[in-house]
Amino acid sequence: MGFRGGSSVIRWVKYGVGLSVVGGFVVNLKHSDWKVQSTGIVRFGRAAIAVTATVIDYKYTFYGVDATSPLYEKIKSEVHTRSALRLRRMCSLNGGCFVKVGQHIGALEYLLPKEYVDVMKVFHSHAPESPVKDVYRVIKEDFQKDVSDLFASFDETVLASASLAQVHCATLKDGTPVAVKVQHPNVQMHSFVDMATMDILVRLVAAIFPDFQFGWLAEETRKNIPLELDFVHEGKNCEQVSKMFGHLSFLKVPKIYWEQTTKRVLTMEYFDGGFVNDVQYIRSNDISVSDVSA
């Protein structure tokens, strides 16, 4: 017995699946501000290509190379540097969670090859910045108000930028100077896919290179990212630290301005200062270098 019209049903099922895929891509594209390069599939593909190229580079470079050869260390350093630069480019393009992982790598001086640490350290002070129009859009979405309704002034120059957010100086309506931390747009939306992407790729690399034991880095990032993306949680932590260590005269914890704070915007007291590794600033302000490094 045959099913009359079976081919027609199959054809409509194919159309339905096709429309679902296209529809899903369009929705993802819309949430990515119509930027194809920011969609989940493109971000995943970009990361997969970079990791695959790195695996092939290592396999090809060390094929037939004697580990006791005088050139072995030179070859190893060169492939480490090439691979680190390739991964840094990918992290910069994908942004968000990928930059966060790059920052972690740049701090693991005693666990990872020096080449990786040196290349990724750039993210500690030069993370990608969002255009000011995107900053204004995040504020508008969260408060349903324009920046001018919340602040007397708002400096469009980025004071500092990190993997998940950037900071701008501003002034409240009563004249109080504040620092406003604004989350990069779409970071929350991309975080789930980015974490899944990292987990898949880390497992793939571990399967090919059994000595690769850094799956914990992706796991820790996966656990902490949701908390780091919640600025209300961060503000409450600031207040808790202030209560616990408020008696220490040398420790300054910024006050949180809750009326100008949401899960994606954190407004806090502004303190002028310098980087903890800026020795010239430390000495010019009569601060003990040994006390800071202790």
Side-chain angles (χ1 to χ4, degrees):
M1 292 180 62
F3 179 66
R4 182 177 294 179
S7 60
S8 179
V9 172
I10 292 173
R11 184 168 63 251
W12 280 108
V13 169
K14 289 180 179 178
Y15 289 157
V17 171
L19 286 172
S20 297
V21 171
V22 172
F25 179 77
V26 171
V27 170
N28 189 261
L29 186 60
K30 179 178 183 296
H31 284 300
S32 298
D33 299 328
W34 304 104
K35 298 175 182 176
V36 175
Q37 68 271 23
S38 296
T39 57
I41 190 170
V42 172
R43 294 160 65 80
F44 176 86
R46 188 183 287 134
I49 290 172
V51 170
T52 301
T54 298
V55 169
I56 293 173
D57 195 359
Y58 273 97
K59 285 288 188 181
Y60 178 79
T61 300
F62 288 111
Y63 181 76
V65 176
D66 186 353
T68 62
S69 167
L71 295 176
Y72 181 80
E73 289 301 322
K74 179 177 181 294
I75 293 172
K76 183 169 71 172
S77 178
E78 288 174 348
V79 72
H80 281 339
T81 300
R82 274 199 313 273
S83 300
L85 288 170
R86 183 184 302 114
L87 294 175
R88 189 179 72 185
R89 283 194 297 271
M90 179 272 293
C91 289
S92 293
L93 289 170
N94 277 0
C97 299
F98 287 91
V99 174
K100 171 63 69 174
V101 171
Q103 289 175 331
H104 284 321
I105 292 174
L108 298 176
E109 296 191 33
Y110 302 104
L111 295 175
L112 291 177
K114 180 178 182 297
E115 293 83 358
Y116 277 90
V117 174
D118 289 345
V119 167
M120 294 296 183
K121 271 183 177 179
V122 69
F123 285 138
H124 291 168
S125 56
H126 295 89
E129 299 177 1
S130 293
V132 70
K133 65 180 180 64
D134 288 343
V135 171
Y136 287 168
R137 177 165 60 84
V138 170
I139 293 174
K140 177 74 170 181
E141 289 174 353
D142 279 25
F143 292 97
Q144 299 302 306
K145 294 180 180 180
D146 292 326
V147 171
S148 58
D149 296 326
L150 296 166
F151 305 99
S153 66
F154 190 93
D155 191 344
E156 295 186 348
T157 302
V158 180
L159 181 64
S161 183
S163 56
L164 306 180
Q166 62 192 47
V167 179
H168 293 261
C169 290
T171 306
L172 296 180
K173 293 293 187 177
D174 64 1
T176 303
V178 292
V180 185
K181 181 179 177 181
V182 183
Q183 198 169 112
H184 297 307
N186 303 323
V187 168
Q188 290 204 30
M189 184 190 73
H190 289 148
S191 62
F192 178 79
V193 174
D194 288 349
M195 288 294 92
T197 298
M198 289 181 204
D199 185 60
I200 292 170
L201 296 177
V202 164
R203 291 175 186 273
L204 173 64
V205 173
I208 299 172
F209 297 104
D211 292 336
F212 181 85
Q213 298 295 329
F214 293 96
W216 60 269
L217 182 57
E219 177 63 20
E220 286 301 310
T221 303
R222 185 185 66 80
K223 289 180 181 178
N224 292 326
I225 283 295
L227 295 176
E228 294 190 42
L229 289 173
D230 185 353
F231 291 173
V232 171
H233 177 78
E234 181 176 341
K236 290 179 178 178
N237 281 343
C238 278
E239 292 188 334
Q240 184 63 27
V241 170
S242 182
K243 291 177 182 177
M244 294 171 61
F245 302 104
H247 61 286
L248 300 176
S249 60
F250 62 83
L251 180 64
K252 302 297 182 183
V253 181
K255 175 185 176 182
I256 305 300
Y257 293 91
W258 289 110
E259 289 186 6
Q260 292 82 20
T261 292
T262 65
K263 289 188 70 173
R264 295 194 298 169
V265 179
L266 179 63
T267 301
M268 64 198 108
E269 184 179 1
Y270 175 79
F271 290 139
D272 192 19
F275 288 103
V276 70
N277 59 351
D278 187 344
V279 178
Q280 183 177 353
Y281 173 86
I282 291 173
R283 287 175 174 164
S284 64
N285 284 271
D286 297 323
I287 301 172
S288 170
V289 175
S290 58
D291 285 347
V292 172
S293 60

